[in-house]
Amino acid sequence: MGLTRTVKATEERLGPFRPATCVGYTCLMLDFLHPSLRATIASLALLPLSHALHAQKQPDLKKLDAYIAKAVTDFGQPGLAVGIVQGGKLIWSHGYGRLDVAKPDPVTENSDFYCASLSKAFTVCAIGMLVDDGVLKWDDKVIEHLPWFKLNDPYVTANMTVRDLLCHRAGFITFDGDLLWYGTHYTPREILDRHAKEPLTYGFRSRFGYSNLMLIAAAALIEKKSDVTWDQFITKRILEPLAMTRTRVETADLAKMTDVALPHVHKGQDPKAPLMSMAYQPLQGADGACGIISCVTDLAKWDAMWMNEGKTADGKVFLKEGTWTTITTDQLSNEVAPEENITGKHYDGTAMGWFTEDRDGYKIITHSGGMPGFILNHAVVPEKDFAVICLGNGETYSVFAITDKILNLYLGNGMADPVADMLPRIEQRDLRDAKRVGDRAAARITGTSPSRPLVQYTGTYTDKIYGDAVITETGGGLSLSFVPAPELFTGTLSHWHYDTFQWNHADPFLEPGYITFSFDADHRITGFKVDLHSPDFHFYKLDFKKKP
């Protein structure tokens, strides 16, 4: 689900390599690429070249295969599936590594991966089909079709258009509200109703802020105007016509399938912890943002339609030309740093369900995805009838380096080595993270005790947007559970120092959290705040107040 996620948050987790996840993450969490990440990755490898190089012969795919295989090892990537699409056909594909590091089954071009924020283009395509059907217009006000839709600002509520939902310019900071869908039991309507209380940070339409929740609203709009669920619409109008036979919209379906890549994480974001596979998270509440599960062979058919400007490989109109153009046209321009101009990059924009950039004179439409245990990427070059797909079932950024390498081979400097450029920067990021963790441990004050008896910390607490949390005392210790997401966010509270406790929650993806209690003038406990380092999810915004 993705992944993508403000520039500050991006750099905080990845340094220069933060994918925009649905998780967020993601997106990067994680999904979800944020333009700042895609710009940085591009700057690693691009060199200015004359268009004469574009007439070069087909790259040596055996050398490419060896390059990717080495990258998988160098990055410690559990499994990877890569595909190259040209002229509407999958001309080359390969799987590397394993579906599950605990088992021998290999990744193949048919291996299914959670596509996270690659899903956003499916939701936007569905909206485009409804536009083609004549039941929606891009500039319709959302409340004309969803009267219950509401944001914190009455002006934005009244003027938010269908187009605004799809291009990350509502006024939220990146990943605002993602905790409302991550692991929770909330329905899409409950997620959006709760998020309506969240104040906007930016001016409406003034700047980029990656929003998974606006794509959840777009899915609700699809259901309203089509009288079928998002799952049914995507299946009947997109997957079946394009013969995407292995693509699914329900994680429950995977139990009946083979050749399924499992997500992998280092527990608690600790790179020294053993690599472990996880179960798929259902995340039905966020289908519109990150609900697609697919493979290279199916995504090749999907990307072939986009590279053919809305037509299928056999020439049938799938999206009207004007609709395809609107979807792939920038709705918001993003900053391009001077050093990127030197490498041949001149623009970077946010379209609808896609990001855009230029490379060696060609327009590229692209999007990454991030979900706990998955990072994925794909890029389409319509002028060249070309696309590259790279799906990974781990938390490494190999997918960006490999995408970059293939684009270089086909469009520009085939001698560039983005893997070699990226690895030292990742090492520096890991050192920064280790220092951050070490600094917290060094700041711990030993020999302190909680200021109140443990029983007084127990009770129900509530955050006005997120909902309830419950603290209980069992076995002489405390346990904290977030009521909306008990499977992920339940765990013991170990005393850290003073009135701060370390929270050892159940989510293997996130680091432990730190819970600090607040008091009134009579030293009665009034609430607590959460300190949990995650650019993907805004724990710092939670403000739990104790119920009487």
Side-chain angles (χ1 to χ4, degrees), residues 472-484:
T472 56
E473 184 181 13
T474 46
L478 297 176
S479 179
L480 167 64
S481 180
F482 282 7
V483 174

Side-chain angles (χ1 to χ4, degrees), residues 153-185:
D153 186 315
Y155 176 84
V156 180
T157 298
N159 290 279
M160 176 79 76
T161 65
V162 175
R163 188 188 304 264
D164 293 322
L165 289 179
L166 308 175
C167 59
H168 308 296
R169 64 186 191 187
F172 297 109
I173 61 173
T174 291
F175 306 139
D176 235 345
D178 279 1
L179 272 174
L180 288 169
W181 57 260
Y182 182 59
T184 70
H185 299 156

Side-chain angles (χ1 to χ4, degrees), residues 22 35 83 94 102 118 185 200 276 315 319 323 328 332 336 372 415 422 455 504 509:
C22 290
H94 205 290
L118 273 62
H185 299 156
L200 301 178
M276 58 177 287
L319 284 173
T323 299
T328 59
L332 191 67
V336 175
M415 299 303 293
M422 190 179 288
V455 68
N504 303 297
F509 170 62

Side-chain angles (χ1 to χ4, degrees), residues 405-428:
K405 178 64 175 179
I406 295 171
L407 289 173
N408 287 336
L409 285 171
Y410 280 84
L411 302 181
N413 178 21
M415 299 303 293
D417 188 356
V419 169
D421 287 335
M422 190 179 288
L423 286 170
R425 302 190 185 203
I426 292 173
E427 183 178 355
Q428 290 300 311

Side-chain angles (χ1 to χ4, degrees), residues 190-439:
E190 288 172 326
I191 291 168
L192 294 169
D193 285 347
R194 286 183 172 276
H195 189 53
K197 304 170 189 174
E198 181 69 49
L200 301 178
T201 301
Y202 309 134
F204 183 40
R205 298 177 184 152
S206 68
R207 61 180 292 181
F208 178 91
Y210 193 91
S211 178
N212 287 302
L213 273 76
M214 294 303 95
L215 271 293
I216 294 173
L221 184 60
I222 292 165
E223 295 184 347
K224 174 71 173 180
K225 302 308 294 183
S226 68
D227 292 323
V228 297
T229 66
W230 179 90
D231 292 358
Q232 291 167 334
F233 191 99
I234 297 297
T235 300
K236 295 296 182 183
R237 294 289 301 270
I238 298 178
L239 305 184
E240 291 180 1
L242 291 178
M244 297 176 69
T245 56
R246 284 192 57 82
T247 303
R248 296 292 186 271
V249 291
E250 291 283 358
T251 56
D253 292 346
L254 299 178
K256 307 170 187 175
M257 300 175 66
T258 58
D259 205 358
V260 175
L262 291 183
H264 291 81
V265 298
H266 294 282
K267 185 172 175 59
Q269 296 290 310
D270 180 359
K272 296 180 181 179
L275 196 64
M276 58 177 287
S277 61
M278 303 164 48
Y280 273 66
Q281 296 184 31
L283 305 179
Q284 282 98 337
D287 275 350
C290 54
I292 297 293
I293 303 161
S294 193
C295 60
V296 163
T297 51
D298 275 6
L299 289 173
K301 301 168 188 175
W302 170 245
D303 282 354
M305 183 273 291
W306 289 100
M307 72 174 65
N308 201 24
E309 299 179 351
K311 297 184 181 67
T312 60
D314 58 3
K316 294 179 181 177
V317 174
F318 195 79
L319 284 173
K320 291 181 180 178
E321 184 178 346
T323 299
W324 179 93
T325 300
T326 299
I327 290 172
T328 59
T329 295
D330 292 349
Q331 307 296 318
L332 191 67
S333 295
N334 305 314
E335 295 179 359
V336 175
E339 60 268 22
E340 296 172 67
N341 297 144
I342 295 172
T343 62
K345 187 181 185 67
H346 301 96
Y347 74 81
D348 189 344
T350 303
M352 292 191 282
W354 295 92
F355 295 110
T356 66
E357 61 183 63
D358 69 323
R359 181 182 292 237
D360 294 295
Y362 293 102
K363 176 179 177 177
I364 297 175
I365 60 173
T366 182
H367 209 295
S368 68
M371 197 61 70
F374 289 106
I375 297 181
L376 323 98
N377 196 31
H378 71 153
V380 178
V381 191
E383 295 168 87
K384 293 284 284 184
D385 289 329
F386 174 81
V388 55
I389 303 160
C390 201
L391 312 178
N393 64 339
E395 289 283 302
T396 83
Y397 308 109
S398 59
V399 297
F400 305 118
I402 292 166
T403 299
D404 221 36
K405 178 64 175 179
I406 295 171
L407 289 173
N408 287 336
L409 285 171
Y410 280 84
L411 302 181
N413 178 21
M415 299 303 293
D417 188 356
V419 169
D421 287 335
M422 190 179 288
L423 286 170
R425 302 190 185 203
I426 292 173
E427 183 178 355
Q428 290 300 311
R429 178 212 61 190
D430 290 343
L431 289 173
R432 289 193 299 271
D433 276 348
K435 182 179 184 302
R436 174 181 54 79
V437 173
D439 287 348

Side-chain angles (χ1 to χ4, degrees), residues 512-533:
Y514 295 84
I515 307 300
T516 300
F517 289 89
S518 55
F519 301 83
D520 63 15
D522 297 317
H523 207 63
R524 292 179 297 228
I525 296 169
T526 57
F528 68 81
K529 296 280 287 182
V530 181
D531 181 352
L532 198 163
H533 178 78

Side-chain angles (χ1 to χ4, degrees), residues 4-188:
T4 58
R5 311 144 182 43
T6 58
V7 170
K8 182 177 179 182
T10 299
E11 293 174 347
E12 203 175 331
R13 174 175 170 194
L14 304 185
F17 306 112
R18 174 69 173 97
T21 94
C22 290
V23 224
Y25 146 84
T26 176
C27 335
L28 137 338
M29 72 205 147
L30 88 210
D31 175 85
F32 30 124
L33 276 183
H34 187 288
S36 65
L37 170 60
R38 294 180 294 104
T40 304
I41 291 171
S43 71
L44 293 176
L46 282 174
L47 293 174
L49 292 167
S50 71
H51 283 281
L53 287 179
H54 298 149
Q56 64 186 341
K57 63 181 180 180
Q58 284 284 101
D60 186 331
L61 296 179
K62 288 186 178 179
K63 288 185 178 179
L64 174 63
D65 181 28
Y67 182 89
I68 296 173
K70 184 176 186 300
V72 167
T73 299
D74 291 346
F75 277 94
Q77 175 69 36
L80 193 72
V82 182
I84 298 173
V85 189
Q86 200 168 31
K89 296 180 179 180
L90 183 63
I91 63 165
W92 183 86
S93 59
H94 205 290
Y96 303 84
R98 298 178 180 180
L99 301 170
D100 179 349
V101 292
K103 299 178 181 179
D105 304 313
V107 171
T108 73
E109 66 272 22
N110 292 313
S111 298
D112 276 315
F113 290 73
Y114 213 151
C115 288
S117 285
L118 273 62
S119 309
K120 288 180 171 61
F122 286 80
T123 296
V124 172
C125 181
I127 293 285
M129 289 175 155
L130 292 173
V131 170
D132 286 350
D133 292 344
V135 299
L136 271 181
K137 294 184 177 65
W138 294 114
D139 295 312
D140 283 352
K141 301 294 195 299
V142 175
I143 58 172
E144 293 173 3
H145 303 287
L146 298 176
W148 52 263
F149 178 79
K150 185 179 180 181
L151 297 178
N152 188 265
D153 186 315
Y155 176 84
V156 180
T157 298
N159 290 279
M160 176 79 76
T161 65
V162 175
R163 188 188 304 264
D164 293 322
L165 289 179
L166 308 175
C167 59
H168 308 296
R169 64 186 191 187
F172 297 109
I173 61 173
T174 291
F175 306 139
D176 235 345
D178 279 1
L179 272 174
L180 288 169
W181 57 260
Y182 182 59
T184 70
H185 299 156
Y186 289 137
T187 66

Side-chain angles (χ1 to χ4, degrees), residues 457-462 467-469 471 517 525 527-528 544-546:
Y457 295 89
T458 63
T460 300
Y461 298 73
T462 190
D468 287 350
I471 295 178
F517 289 89
I525 296 169
F528 68 81
F544 286 99
K545 301 298 183 183
K546 192 171 188 181

